[in-house]
Amino acid sequence: MGEMKSLQMGVIGALFLSVASSVSIVICNKALMTNLGFPFATTLTSWHLMVTYCTLHVAYKLNFFENKTIEMRTVVLFGLLNGISIGLLNLSLGFNSIGFYQMTKLAIIPFTVILETLFLNKKFSQKIKFSLFLLLIGVGIASITDLQLNFVGSVLSLLAIATTCVGQILTNTIQKRLNVTSTQLLYQSAPFQAAILFVSGPFVDKYLTRLNVFSFHYSPIVVGFITLSCLIAVSVNFSTFLVIGKTSPVTYQVLGHLKTCLVLAFGYTLLHDPFTPRNIAGILIAVLGMLLYSYFCSVASKSKQVSSDSTFLGKDRDTTPLLGQEKENHHEAKKLDKHSPV
């Protein structure tokens, strides 16, 4: 029971860290991009990952965690896949309306459920599916304002959905099957994610913004916000791997939509962004879906724990010898000891 409580506390801590750091980086990046005019999102993400790797390398040298070797091909392909998914999401936003981009992000949950059901034989109860449906409807009502379709944007969105789903499923699968921690996996994969975004980022950003990241005027306040964004990103990247490893890709996506609702509420309360009854209704429906999802997952987890405990107790009863059997086994051991050669 003590281990179960510590595991639950670990999950709660990971979820809180993920929400706090993600909302913080959204606020920081909004100030950087909107107020200070720095629009280079893909290049900024590559800097985030480089700072994350450097921070983890220092932590490793100071013995904060042990490194565990993972097959190089696995790490390289995993890192490149995650880097590509980030680039595709940014391209999807550039080629589509904001409403269609939000639809793309919403589609990640059902696609993840389908992939895990087909390839990993994971079962999702009807109650959990209903709670996810409520969540998606609520976030859709709150955040989607316009839907403009185009062929290139649609293809990019489909590729972004596929790579993001597979990348997040692999984040969970690699940690569990290879018995590595989130820190170890992030430490080994971050350089490859950073590399592909560092090379492609300036080109992607130039195509989307018509501006050159190298000719941008970096004032002290811009440099300060970039530094702050990179430092917060260390926590964001770490908590992302931590949450997916401790829970599941679907739970991480649910958490992501909670962040969306919190950012919308923050924008209204502190930045005085326009807010309508539709936004409020959508957020309330989404929160209801999240609460139901959390409750149904908790019930399912407890039932699994009870069944595993009962199985363990049953095995314990079968394998624990009775007092008479213990004595008999003791006499048999003595006989064998007498007849065994010295």
Side-chain angles (χ1 to χ4, degrees):
M1 287 296 290
E3 288 183 4
M4 192 65 186
K5 282 185 178 179
S6 63
L7 179 64
Q8 288 175 346
M9 290 301 294
V11 171
I12 292 170
L15 295 174
F16 177 79
L17 178 63
S18 179
V19 171
S21 57
S22 295
V23 172
S24 299
I25 203 168
V26 166
I27 296 167
C28 179
N29 287 349
K30 185 167 184 179
L32 179 62
M33 294 180 180
T34 305
N35 299 335
L36 299 175
F38 184 86
F40 310 107
T42 309
T43 304
L44 180 63
T45 304
S46 72
W47 297 344
H48 287 170
L49 287 162
M50 282 190 285
V51 172
T52 298
Y53 172 73
C54 293
T55 304
L56 289 177
H57 187 67
V58 171
Y60 168 64
K61 290 297 184 181
L62 294 174
N63 296 319
F64 280 100
F65 70 94
E66 291 183 4
N67 191 21
K68 186 173 182 179
T69 305
I70 306 173
E71 185 187 10
M72 182 57 68
R73 188 178 70 170
T74 301
V75 174
V76 172
L77 291 176
F78 173 74
L80 293 179
L81 178 67
N82 277 313
I84 290 169
S85 73
I86 294 169
L88 286 170
L89 281 169
N90 287 338
L91 282 171
S92 174
L93 177 58
F95 276 88
N96 295 304
S97 64
I98 293 175
F100 193 80
Y101 175 72
Q102 287 295 339
M103 282 288 292
T104 300
K105 291 174 69 177
L106 290 178
I108 292 172
I109 284 183
F111 268 80
T112 303
V113 169
I114 291 169
L115 289 176
E116 289 195 310
T117 302
L118 290 177
F119 297 103
L120 298 179
N121 296 318
K122 191 168 182 179
K123 305 297 181 186
F124 294 88
S125 68
Q126 293 299 322
K127 291 179 179 179
I128 287 180
K129 289 177 182 176
F130 173 71
S131 65
L132 291 174
F133 175 75
L134 266 185
L135 165 67
L136 296 177
I137 291 293
V139 175
I141 292 172
S143 61
I144 296 175
T145 53
D146 63 321
L147 284 175
Q148 296 175 11
L149 302 180
N150 66 80
F151 177 74
V152 176
S154 300
V155 171
L156 288 170
S157 292
L158 286 173
L159 290 173
I161 291 167
T163 53
T164 302
C165 290
V166 173
Q168 290 181 359
I169 290 171
L170 285 176
T171 302
N172 179 271
T173 305
I174 290 172
Q175 288 185 57
K176 290 183 176 175
R177 291 192 179 175
L178 300 184
N179 195 28
V180 295
T181 65
S182 55
T183 310
Q184 291 167 339
L185 181 58
L186 179 59
Y187 176 57
Q188 295 200 38
S189 63
F192 301 103
Q193 294 183 60
I196 191 168
L197 291 174
F198 186 74
V199 172
S200 63
F203 298 102
V204 172
D205 289 332
K206 188 171 184 178
Y207 185 82
L208 295 175
T209 65
R210 304 288 186 259
L211 297 172
N212 191 335
V213 66
F214 300 109
S215 61
F216 185 81
H217 174 65
Y218 291 88
S219 64
I221 190 168
V222 169
V223 173
F225 268 90
I226 289 173
T227 304
L228 179 61
S229 179
C230 288
L231 293 175
I232 299 172
V234 176
S235 178
V236 172
N237 291 323
F238 173 72
S239 62
T240 296
F241 278 60
L242 190 63
V243 169
I244 295 175
K246 285 185 174 293
T247 57
S248 71
V250 173
T251 298
Y252 174 72
Q253 284 299 322
V254 170
L255 193 68
H257 293 306
L258 169 61
K259 299 169 197 171
T260 301
C261 293
L262 289 174
V263 169
L264 286 171
F266 168 83
Y268 171 70
T269 53
L270 295 184
L271 302 179
H272 305 293
D273 289 343
F275 218 56
T276 65
R278 173 180 164 173
N279 297 131
I280 297 171
I283 289 175
L284 291 176
I285 294 170
V287 169
L288 176 61
M290 290 174 208
L291 291 174
L292 288 175
Y293 176 80
S294 177
Y295 173 73
F296 293 144
C297 285
S298 177
V299 169
S301 177
K302 284 178 182 176
S303 64
K304 280 183 184 177
Q305 181 66 25
V306 169
S307 63
S308 64
D309 286 348
S310 62
T311 304
F312 175 76
L313 288 172
K315 285 182 181 177
D316 196 46
R317 285 195 211 97
D318 293 338
T319 55
T320 304
L322 298 174
L323 185 61
Q325 287 175 314
E326 282 184 2
K327 288 181 179 177
E328 188 176 331
N329 290 342
H330 183 63
H331 290 310
E332 288 293 326
K334 279 190 173 180
K335 287 180 185 177
L336 287 171
D337 188 55
K338 285 179 182 177
H339 294 294
S340 61
V342 179

